[in-house]
Amino acid sequence: MHPDRPTPTDQAAKHAALHSGGVPADRSTPADPPPAPGTFNTRAIDPGRIECLQILNERGQVEQGMEPDFTPEQLLEVHRAMVLSRAFDSRMLTMQRQGEMGTFAPNIGQEACMIGQVWPLTKEDWFAPSYRSFGAQIWRGWSMERLMKLWAGYHEGFAPPPDVNDYPFSIVIGSQVPPAVGTAMAMRRRNEANCVVVNFGDGAFSQGAVAESLNFAAVDKAPVIFVCENNGWAISTPMAKQTRVDSLAIRGMGYGVPSIRVDGNDILAMMVATRDACARARRGEGPTLIESVTFRMSLHTTADDPTVYRDDADVTPWKGRCPIKRFETWLAGRGLLDADACARVKTECETQVLAARDAFRNSASAKPREIFDYLYVDTPDVLDRQKAEYFKRLDRKGVE
Ligand SMILES: Cc1ncc(C[n+]2csc(CCOP(=O)(O)OP(=O)(O)O)c2C)c(N)n1
Ligand SMILES: [Mg+2]
């Protein structure tokens, strides 16, 4: 946290409630009984020790004294990025249902988390996305046309644009985290004042590679920001079946990584938390873990049907926590955005997405001979042999 900014009081109670239906924790509840001898009582870990940040509440209000110092231009740019992300999301779902996309992982309701985590990055910084990070990828400079190619299965869609310091996203959950830390370790050795943001989910946090990465980053003081986008579910596995702790941020503390819980549907909190974490990293003060508490409002991917494993009652409390709506309420109160301007931004974003769709339709062409091209700089012999076999088969079938 920035020393000049007032620290939010008692935010932990509000946030402990976020994933438990929105009712703030009752501080007067008697403490759990002491654990039986030889057992470990997870309740003994006090989630209140993890700082928890909310600036913009669900009604679109900012507590007095907590107003962040962002410029109107910054705020409106971020707002537009969130609206664009949602427009892309909705169009991609339609395109998938109409057979134009192989699959797609929606992010509706997670826009604040997504844009807030990359907002302070410069072009020299790095971002390692997950498969649900398309809004952040667009912010970083990926064209929507490229992302459409990616989800439609065209290889040219997977490679990051040449001038964007991003990793391609990884479907193998958590696997993007060790290379992100390695990149940050390299930055330190080169004395670069840059940083890396890596995004992963609550489910990915159960992967050993993520734990090992936290430890390496802490020991090395690597300039990396771990953003755990805790959306409550890992496909059909809810948080309660994933872990016995209330806050995943607690795990960072175990490795000596400064850790914070953030209301992931609050764009202002996400912007502040990431900005501060990046500043720390650039000053050589090492990694930060941000647990961004949000909710997966929609499908895991288009191959999923969440009605099989969760009830409407799980989703309903989150409908009132829309990150875009609360931001628009606050911006309107500050005279920065009225209903007409909101409608205009939405229409402009939808038009942009449709233009990307048309460009995608006109340019996507299958190039089966490229499928080995984006794996290695120096292709191993075994793959070279497979490639030769594969090319022979394409030749036999007359495929270019
Ligand atoms: C190593 C590995 N194991 C299992 C899977 C199958 N899988 C794909 S997504 C997913 C859940 C990931 O959940 P989370 O990390 O919370 O991210 P979210 O999808 O919620 O954004 C699983 C188990 C995989 N892709 N990789
Ligand atoms: Mg998840």
Side-chain angles (χ1 to χ4, degrees):
M1 291 281 306
H2 195 284
D4 303 341
R5 215 187 33 259
T7 302
T9 51
D10 205 20
Q11 297 291 342
K14 284 186 197 166
H15 278 266
L18 278 178
H19 270 304
S20 57
V23 184
D26 180 1
R27 291 284 185 187
S28 64
T29 306
D32 285 348
T39 63
F40 178 68
N41 181 4
T42 53
R43 296 285 156 195
I45 299 168
D46 176 13
R49 283 193 302 159
I50 296 281
E51 192 176 1
C52 194
L53 184 64
Q54 183 187 63
I55 295 176
L56 182 60
N57 70 22
E58 289 159 23
R59 294 179 301 285
Q61 300 158 338
V62 170
E63 259 175 55
Q64 214 180 1
M66 298 255 316
E67 291 84 4
D69 54 356
F70 303 124
T71 64
E73 292 73 28
Q74 287 171 326
L75 295 167
L76 292 177
E77 192 186 13
V78 161
H79 168 259
R80 182 176 284 268
M82 291 166 71
V83 175
L84 182 61
S85 169
R86 189 166 291 190
F88 181 80
D89 198 319
S90 133
R91 179 57 51 186
M92 287 292 277
L93 264 185
T94 306
M95 289 171 79
Q96 199 281 335
R97 295 312 191 210
Q98 291 174 344
E100 284 191 272
M101 292 296 141
T103 184
F104 178 61
N107 196 297
I108 185 162
Q110 297 178 223
E111 293 87 356
C113 179
M114 199 158 36
I115 305 301
Q117 72 190 271
V118 283
W119 165 80
L121 294 185
T122 66
K123 271 185 106 57
E124 286 69 42
D125 296 326
W126 279 74
F127 175 55
S130 88
Y131 43 80
R132 212 178 288 289
S133 308
F134 50 85
Q137 290 176 294
I138 296 169
W139 177 276
R140 292 280 294 161
W142 292 63
S143 71
M144 289 185 281
E145 179 191 340
R146 182 180 288 258
L147 292 172
M148 286 174 179
K149 285 181 181 160
L150 188 168
W151 286 105
Y154 293 95
H155 306 293
E156 57 267 48
F158 277 81
D163 55 344
V164 174
N165 278 349
D166 285 5
Y167 281 96
F169 73 59
S170 169
I171 294 284
V172 183
I173 61 166
S175 63
Q176 70 275 29
V177 185
V181 171
T183 305
M185 289 167 71
M187 283 172 177
R188 216 170 75 71
R189 277 152 188 75
R190 292 175 179 178
N191 286 321
E192 294 170 356
N194 299 320
C195 62
V196 182
V197 167
V198 56
N199 171 280
F200 54 94
D202 43 287
F205 215 155
S206 296
Q207 292 285 76
V210 177
E212 289 158 18
S213 301
L214 275 164
N215 191 50
F216 262 95
V219 171
D220 198 75
K221 276 198 156 186
V224 55
I225 295 92
F226 298 90
V227 176
C228 176
E229 196 160 337
N230 177 1
N231 62 7
W233 293 83
I235 314 185
S236 54
T237 304
M239 268 286 283
K241 288 197 176 160
Q242 189 83 241
T243 175
R244 282 293 307 275
V245 293
D246 295 328
S247 165
L248 294 173
I250 281 174
R251 293 185 186 169
M253 290 173 66
Y255 293 100
V257 174
S259 304
I260 184 172
R261 230 178 172 219
V262 174
D263 178 350
N265 285 17
D266 169 358
I267 182 63
L268 299 180
M270 278 304 298
M271 287 169 78
V272 165
T274 320
R275 179 184 65 182
D276 289 2
C278 289
R280 272 177 29 77
R282 292 185 211 288
R283 288 196 301 266
E285 292 170 26
T288 303
L289 167 65
I290 298 173
E291 180 195 3
S292 170
V293 184
T294 181
F295 194 80
R296 202 195 77 216
M297 300 296 291
S298 180
L299 318 164
H300 168 68
T301 66
T302 48
D304 176 46
D305 174 9
T307 61
V308 173
Y309 56 81
R310 73 180 188 188
D311 298 328
D312 281 350
D314 295 321
V315 184
T316 306
W318 289 88
K319 289 190 176 154
R321 297 180 185 145
C322 170
I324 296 182
K325 194 160 181 298
R326 81 166 79 164
F327 193 32
E328 287 179 346
T329 304
W330 182 68
L331 291 170
R334 301 184 84 207
L336 291 176
L337 202 65
D338 58 17
D340 285 349
C342 280
R344 196 170 55 247
V345 171
K346 190 163 180 272
T347 308
E348 286 167 4
C349 288
E350 282 165 357
T351 306
Q352 233 181 304
V353 175
L354 288 177
R357 181 198 61 182
D358 293 345
F360 158 74
R361 284 178 176 168
N362 291 330
S363 68
S365 62
K367 292 180 190 146
R369 284 177 200 266
E370 281 188 358
I371 68 169
F372 291 88
D373 286 359
Y374 298 111
L375 295 172
Y376 293 93
V377 173
D378 299 313
T379 308
D381 291 348
V382 62
L383 278 190
D384 265 337
R385 286 198 295 277
Q386 285 184 24
K387 185 173 169 179
E389 281 293 316
Y390 172 66
F391 275 29
K392 264 195 238 161
R393 185 181 301 189
L394 293 178
D395 291 342
R396 271 202 309 276
K397 289 179 179 262
V399 178
E400 261 185 47

